[in-house]
Amino acid sequence: MNNFKNNTIDHTPYWHADTGFQEHSIDTELSSLPDALEIIIVGSGFTGLSAALTLARAGKKVAVLDSGKIGSGASSRNGGLLGPSFHKLGMQGLTKKYGQDTANAVLKESLAGFDWLVDFIGRENIGCDLQHCGRFRGALTPEHYTNMAKQAESLAKVLDYPVTLISKSEQHLEVGTDKYCGGVVYNKDASLHPAKLVQGLIEKLMAEGVSLIANAKVGNISADGQGFKVKVGDREIATDEVLIATNGYTGNVTPNLKKRIIPIRSSMIATQSISQELMHSVSPKLHTHGGTDRLVLYYRPSPDGTRLLFGGRALSYADKPNEYIKFLHDSMLDIFPQLQDSKIDYAWSGLVAYSFDHVPHLGKMDGMYYAMGYCGSGVARANYLGHKIAMKMLGNAGETIFEQFEFSGKPFYNGNPWFMPAVIRWHSVADKFGW
Ligand SMILES: Cc1cc2nc3c(=O)[nH]c(=O)nc-3n(C[C@H](O)[C@H](O)[C@H](O)COP(=O)(O)OP(=O)(O)OC[C@H]3O[C@@H](n4cnc5c(N)ncnc54)[C@H](O)[C@@H]3O)c2cc1C
């Protein structure tokens, strides 16, 4: 039985409530900006903030504009699961599609991006509850388990990325459910507090004197021969370069990027504080978790180990809390019936961006730089590729395998993901029957 009471749920991301994120006033007034700048970054998530830091430290005059609060897009509302985010096709699929060398390069750079972020957090001394907790991925069917074993074997040939295969009889040591037919532990995977990472980046940027302008929705960008004119409300600001860092929120200001991105809503719930014993019965080693389901369910303990944070794709593109809270709560109880009496304290959602080839993309379009399309796994990718695109803007190499893939759309697709609700409902049925 589903016993949550929606009217007692706080619709603030747990991460925001935990840090007082909404009350922080770190942004500068739009009126304080000069009429001309060297670089304007549109979007203040990990991509924009990471790029801004690299650019500012190279001596560039940078402003970051966001239509909402600084960092309030997906970057401060995600699950905080941190891993290399290997390509959806896996080793075999990548090799078949792109050849062995490209497949190896994608996997190696995915791991390099993860290592880069872990190193960056340590070097910059950003307190964001980084925990090297490992991730358990459960197989929904015996076939999925066999495939996982093959993937683990081929990964080990290319990467120094320790993976432990866990049989069904041993899985209770990793996760407190019989739902899976075994799985793997990615030992190197980690978790962090995303809003604390955003705040850490903001502090670094403020120390560099970067202007962070909230509630500044960019309405138009036009090329003027020498650079660009960026329109925000009544202001028009001239800039030499523009970086578009809008990912799942990419809109009509950049129609050519919008039609290459499929925005998908991802949603999360957080339980009330639960006892250590109950948490242990769910996640004995406090791993992060996911499964082979198509709806991409993921979950983890909060950094203090007191709440379970549980997420997955929302069924609709529009923000419909009643719909996704019920779906997530039902899914959570299906895996962990022992949480039956645990109330839901928080529920929230945000937008992620898929590309048609499931590869993140960065480069230059219509004269403007961009980095986006992290396919729902952007904590490491957005920070790393934000840094990489900034290196490109500085004229340094910033080479990456991800710039070699063509950023394509589809005929007749203009950025309106009208087909996604049907696809997601199909995924939900397929998961139910283990297809
Ligand atoms: C619920 C949820 C859970 C997730 N869980 C994980 C996870 O556990 N692990 C993981 O790796 N990834 C996860 N992700 C994905 C990850 O959060 C994103 O891929 C990443 O944060 C993208 O960063 P970004 O900076 O590119 O975009 P965002 O952080 O989304 O920032 C884009 C910004 O652009 C702004 N913007 C858009 N248009 C304009 C405009 N015209 N003018 C001004 N500003 C504009 C928006 O307001 C927004 O703030 C999750 C995402 C969500 C939503």
Side-chain angles (χ1 to χ4, degrees):
M1 194 188 78
N2 200 315
N3 73 349
F4 71 84
K5 287 205 178 62
N6 199 0
N7 58 3
T8 63
I9 296 175
D10 185 341
H11 292 262
T12 310
Y14 165 69
W15 308 115
H16 291 195
D18 188 48
T19 50
F21 190 86
Q22 292 299 343
E23 287 82 52
H24 285 190
S25 164
I26 35 81
D27 24 82
T28 332
E29 290 292 322
L30 179 62
S31 57
S32 70
L33 276 189
D35 286 334
L37 281 159
E38 282 182 287
I39 297 173
I40 286 184
I41 297 178
V42 186
S44 67
F46 291 142
T47 306
L49 298 179
S50 172
L53 192 59
T54 301
L55 292 165
R57 286 185 175 167
K60 294 288 179 190
K61 273 258 156 271
V62 187
V64 183
L65 310 183
D66 202 290
S67 43
K69 264 191 97 71
I70 296 299
S72 62
S75 295
S76 65
R77 46 184 68 234
N78 59 67
L81 280 74
L82 177 59
S85 308
F86 297 125
H87 193 278
K88 179 189 171 206
L89 291 177
M91 184 71 194
Q92 283 97 340
L94 272 175
T95 306
K96 202 167 157 202
K97 191 160 178 198
Y98 300 111
Q100 188 73 59
D101 290 349
T102 304
N104 288 358
V106 167
L107 296 176
K108 281 187 178 150
E109 195 169 343
S110 300
L111 185 54
F114 165 82
D115 286 339
W116 180 90
L117 180 59
V118 169
D119 182 58
F120 171 81
I121 290 168
R123 206 172 55 236
E124 299 286 339
N125 201 14
I126 296 179
C128 58
D129 301 332
L130 178 66
Q131 294 172 4
H132 291 278
C133 53
R135 175 168 64 104
F136 176 79
R137 182 161 187 251
L140 271 191
T141 66
E143 293 74 38
H144 291 179
Y145 181 70
T146 309
N147 284 340
M148 276 179 159
K150 281 191 200 146
Q151 288 286 350
E153 204 179 304
S154 39
L155 259 186
K157 287 187 190 142
V158 183
L159 294 179
D160 175 22
Y161 187 67
V163 174
T164 310
L165 205 56
I166 308 287
S167 67
K168 186 165 172 77
S169 63
E170 297 165 315
Q171 81 182 8
H172 63 280
L173 297 172
E174 315 293 333
V175 64
T177 180
D178 291 327
K179 189 83 191 153
Y180 302 117
C181 306
V184 290
V185 174
Y186 298 97
N187 297 289
K188 224 177 154 181
D189 272 35
S191 65
L192 52 71
H193 190 309
K196 287 188 181 173
L197 178 54
V198 166
Q199 282 174 347
L201 283 161
I202 288 172
E203 278 162 28
K204 302 284 165 194
L205 287 165
M206 289 177 77
E208 299 292 339
V210 173
S211 304
L212 302 169
I213 318 282
N215 306 317
K217 182 171 175 150
V218 171
N220 191 49
I221 306 174
S222 52
D224 70 356
Q226 294 169 353
F228 297 88
K229 292 262 190 301
V230 175
K231 194 150 176 45
V232 188
D234 295 341
R235 295 262 341 246
E236 195 167 66
I237 305 159
T239 180
D240 299 338
E241 303 284 5
V242 174
L243 168 62
I244 304 296
T246 47
N247 203 46
Y249 298 84
T250 301
N252 293 331
V253 173
T254 51
N256 283 329
L257 288 171
K258 187 182 172 195
K259 68 184 189 193
R260 287 169 166 79
I261 283 294
I262 309 157
I264 295 180
R265 188 162 292 279
S266 188
S267 50
M268 295 200 76
I269 53 176
T271 65
Q272 66 178 126
S273 279
I274 58 177
S275 68
Q276 225 180 343
E277 199 187 353
L278 186 52
M279 181 58 83
H280 190 263
S281 81
V282 166
S283 181
K285 294 184 180 164
L286 304 180
H287 287 315
T288 62
H289 296 264
T292 53
D293 46 279
R294 291 162 187 255
L295 281 179
V296 201
L297 297 174
Y298 50 90
Y299 42 97
R300 58 164 290 183
S302 54
D304 62 3
T306 61
R307 299 171 190 269
L308 188 71
L309 313 186
F310 192 97
R313 297 280 171 269
L315 298 177
S316 302
Y317 169 69
D319 191 10
K320 294 186 181 170
N322 286 346
E323 189 179 84
Y324 65 70
I325 294 170
K326 178 170 172 9
F327 166 69
L328 291 177
H329 192 244
D330 286 349
S331 303
M332 184 179 81
L333 293 188
D334 186 40
I335 303 174
F336 302 115
Q338 61 269 47
L339 292 174
Q340 172 67 43
D341 295 327
S342 306
K343 281 199 339 245
I344 302 304
D345 276 354
Y346 299 95
W348 68 97
S349 74
L351 293 173
V352 301
Y354 273 70
S355 57
F356 283 99
D357 58 3
H358 292 269
V359 178
H361 289 270
L362 72 168
K364 221 172 174 183
M365 189 169 291
D366 300 329
M368 295 177 281
Y369 290 91
Y370 66 87
M372 58 180 62
Y374 308 119
C375 303
S377 297
V379 174
R381 285 170 162 179
N383 279 286
Y384 171 69
L385 293 178
H387 166 68
K388 280 282 181 186
I389 194 70
M391 296 294 280
K392 287 205 163 301
M393 295 173 80
L394 291 168
N396 296 333
E399 278 159 10
T400 153
I401 185 73
F402 297 114
E403 67 194 323
Q404 294 181 19
F405 297 94
E406 195 185 334
F407 195 10
S408 306
K410 290 275 181 212
F412 308 115
Y413 176 68
N414 65 3
N416 171 15
W418 55 268
F419 46 87
M420 279 318 289
V423 172
I424 289 175
R425 273 167 215 283
W426 155 245
H427 283 174
S428 147
V429 173
D431 283 346
K432 218 168 255 166
F433 293 99
W435 294 334

